[in-house]
Amino acid sequence: MNTEKKARKTVAKSHQQEEHIEQNLLIRSQAEIKQTSSQKIELEARKLMVEQQQETEHLKATMLSRSKAEIDERK
């Protein structure tokens, strides 16, 4: 095999390796983006659940207070 053919094969192999590395980096980046998005969604869901729980507790406290007031008025 002459030098020119060896050089072409080496260059082709180098390009294949670079493409493989780029593809792996792209796959990793996409996975990382999905994970980050999932974490953000999960955090937002937790915040909304806490807010909903606080609103429920506030409503319970308000209803209890009103009930006590009505009972006191009847006495």
Side-chain angles (χ1 to χ4, degrees):
M1 191 180 293
N2 66 22
T3 307
E4 189 177 324
K5 283 186 179 181
K6 287 181 183 178
R8 286 183 183 162
K9 280 190 172 187
T10 303
V11 169
K13 187 175 181 179
S14 176
H15 284 302
Q16 287 176 342
Q17 289 174 341
E18 287 176 12
E19 287 177 11
H20 181 71
I21 290 170
E22 287 177 10
Q23 188 176 19
N24 283 342
L25 287 173
L26 178 61
I27 290 169
R28 286 182 184 174
S29 296
Q30 289 172 337
E32 196 173 301
I33 288 169
K34 284 181 184 178
Q35 183 179 8
T36 302
S37 295
S38 295
Q39 289 172 345
K40 286 181 181 179
I41 291 169
E42 187 176 326
L43 179 62
E44 186 64 26
R46 286 182 183 168
K47 285 180 182 178
L48 291 172
M49 287 174 64
V50 168
E51 286 178 16
Q52 186 177 19
Q53 187 176 9
Q54 289 173 343
E55 287 176 9
T56 300
E57 292 298 320
H58 177 71
L59 285 174
K60 285 181 183 178
T62 301
M63 291 172 65
L64 181 61
S65 176
R66 286 182 183 172
S67 296
K68 285 181 181 179
E70 285 179 16
I71 291 171
D72 289 343
E73 285 178 8
R74 292 183 185 172
K75 288 185 177 178

